[in-house]
């Protein structure tokens, strides 16, 4: 036996293989749908201009629980909310009922193509000049050739798989967008029906919500009256001004000069 020798085999293959990939996406969405019932109550016939001015002054300074919105000032209550609209001098009472709606949409696009590429690999085999252990040059060359073909097979599979994955990445966002649109259409259809049901339920509770809204507004109005009276007393130079609030009753006392 002598030192082993090596044989080197280089193989090439022309790859031309068609491929196909079905790119699929499914999108699920859940969102809140609200049904409303509302009624408007004018205030300018029930409250004088000074009271309304005092009310708006108090709101402009900031009253806990009342939030400034585009239409005016809003206050949330159990089951709905009330908005004071200064331009209309009116209260808008809104009863709400809410629910969550789920929907799902799917989309698919079949993408195909052909991988055309020249593949090449080099493998090596080991043998002995005296053929020790049956390791002749022909045996080594045949083993290297078989291993080279296996490598070329793996390369070809990898190239085709890469083309499919590239198509998945390239078209995935478009297919997902279509799936999302389908889910949105389904959600809109379900939400429209459910919103009508919720609006009917809200109408059944509008009177109870109105009681809570008016109670909150009357508390606000009492604060406005309090501030207006105290401001008047101070402008008149009143003395011994006192203001006590207990049990929902505001007790203001002061003494005007002269």
């Amino acid at each position: 036996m002598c030192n082993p020798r090596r044989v080197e085999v280089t193989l090439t293959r022309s790859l031309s293989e068609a491929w196909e990939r079905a790119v699929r996406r499914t999108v699920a969405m859940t969102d809140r749908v609200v049904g409303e019932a509302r009624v408007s109550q004018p205030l300018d016939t029930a409250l004088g201009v000074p009271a309304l001015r005092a009310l708006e002054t108090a709101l402009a300074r900031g009253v806990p629980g009342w939030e400034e919105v585009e239409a005016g000032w809003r206050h949330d209550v159990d089951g709905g909310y009330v908005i004071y609209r200064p331009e209309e001098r009116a209260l808008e009472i809104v009863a709400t009922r809410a629910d969550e709606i789920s929907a799902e949409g799917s989309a698919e696009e079949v993408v195909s193509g052909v991988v055309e590429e020249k593949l090449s690999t080099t493998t090596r085999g080991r043998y002995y000049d005296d053929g020790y252990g049956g390791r002749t040059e022909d045996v080594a060359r045949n083993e290297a050739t078989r291993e080279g073909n296996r490598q070329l097979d793996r390369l070809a599979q990898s190239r085709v798989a890469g083309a499919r994955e590239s198509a998945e990445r390239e078209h995935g966002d478009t297919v997902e967008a279509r799936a999302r649109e389908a889910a949105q259409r389904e959600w809109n259809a379900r939400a429209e029906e459910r919103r009508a049901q919720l609006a009917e339920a809200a109408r059944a509770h509008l009177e109870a919500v109105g009681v809570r809204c008016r109670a909150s507004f009357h508390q606000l109005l009492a604060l406005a009256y309090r501030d207006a009276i105290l401001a008047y007393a101070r402008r008149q130079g009143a003395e011994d001004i006192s203001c006590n609030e207990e049990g929902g009753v505001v007790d203001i006392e002061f003494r005007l000069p002269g």
Side-chain angles (χ1 to χ4, degrees), residues 10-150:
T10 298
L11 299 177
T12 60
R13 183 185 299 176
S14 294
L15 175 64
S16 180
E17 184 169 339
W19 58 268
E20 186 176 275
R21 181 65 168 246
V23 182
R24 301 182 182 91
R25 292 292 187 273
T26 297
V27 173
M29 62 180 300
T30 299
D31 205 351
R32 188 169 178 262
V33 60
V34 179
E36 295 183 345
R38 60 185 66 219
V39 62
S40 184
Q41 176 182 336
L43 297 175
D44 50 4
T45 57
L47 299 176
V49 173
L52 290 172
R53 285 178 180 169
L55 173 68
E56 292 167 11
T57 299
L59 286 168
R61 284 200 300 263
V63 178
W66 288 83
E67 175 189 6
E68 187 171 6
V69 294
E70 184 177 355
W73 283 273
R74 169 173 166 159
H75 179 74
D76 292 338
V77 300
D78 183 25
Y81 59 93
V82 58
I83 294 181
Y84 171 64
R85 298 178 176 272
E87 290 187 3
E88 303 168 20
R89 297 286 173 87
L91 280 184
E92 184 174 35
I93 296 168
V94 184
T96 62
R97 285 293 182 271
D99 195 6
E100 282 195 343
I101 301 296
S102 297
E104 187 174 278
S106 298
E108 177 180 320
E109 181 177 346
V110 178
V111 185
S112 61
V114 177
V115 176
E116 293 184 337
E117 187 176 344
K118 183 77 92 175
L119 305 178
S120 177
T121 187
T122 298
T123 55
R124 295 173 180 81
R126 181 174 57 85
Y127 70 96
Y128 296 97
D129 284 337
D130 60 1
Y132 176 77
R135 303 300 304 173
T136 65
E137 182 177 357
D138 287 342
V139 169
R141 188 178 300 279
N142 289 336
E143 288 181 350
T145 299
R146 286 194 296 271
E147 175 59 25
N149 281 316
R150 285 192 291 269

Side-chain angles (χ1 to χ4, degrees), residues 151-241:
Q151 290 185 10
L152 289 175
D153 289 341
R154 289 194 292 270
L155 279 173
Q157 293 170 3
S158 175
R159 296 295 192 272
V160 174
R164 291 194 178 103
E165 291 170 2
S166 177
E168 182 86 27
R169 290 190 299 271
E170 181 180 352
H171 296 269
D173 289 346
T174 301
V175 176
E176 183 171 338
R178 286 165 45 202
R180 192 173 303 280
E181 290 174 359
Q184 186 68 61
R185 287 193 299 270
E186 177 65 19
W187 187 91
N188 290 342
R190 294 183 182 182
E192 183 177 358
E193 179 180 359
R194 185 62 178 136
R195 188 178 291 111
Q197 297 169 350
L198 292 170
E200 187 63 30
R203 276 190 289 274
H205 293 274
L206 183 57
E207 184 176 349
V209 172
V211 170
R212 290 190 283 271
C213 289
R214 292 184 184 93
S216 297
F217 178 74
H218 290 152
Q219 291 175 2
L220 170 65
L221 190 59
L223 293 177
Y225 276 131
R226 179 201 64 187
D227 293 346
I229 293 171
L230 290 175
Y232 169 80
R234 295 187 184 100
R235 286 196 305 271
Q236 299 301 318
E239 300 174 350
D240 301 328
I241 300 175

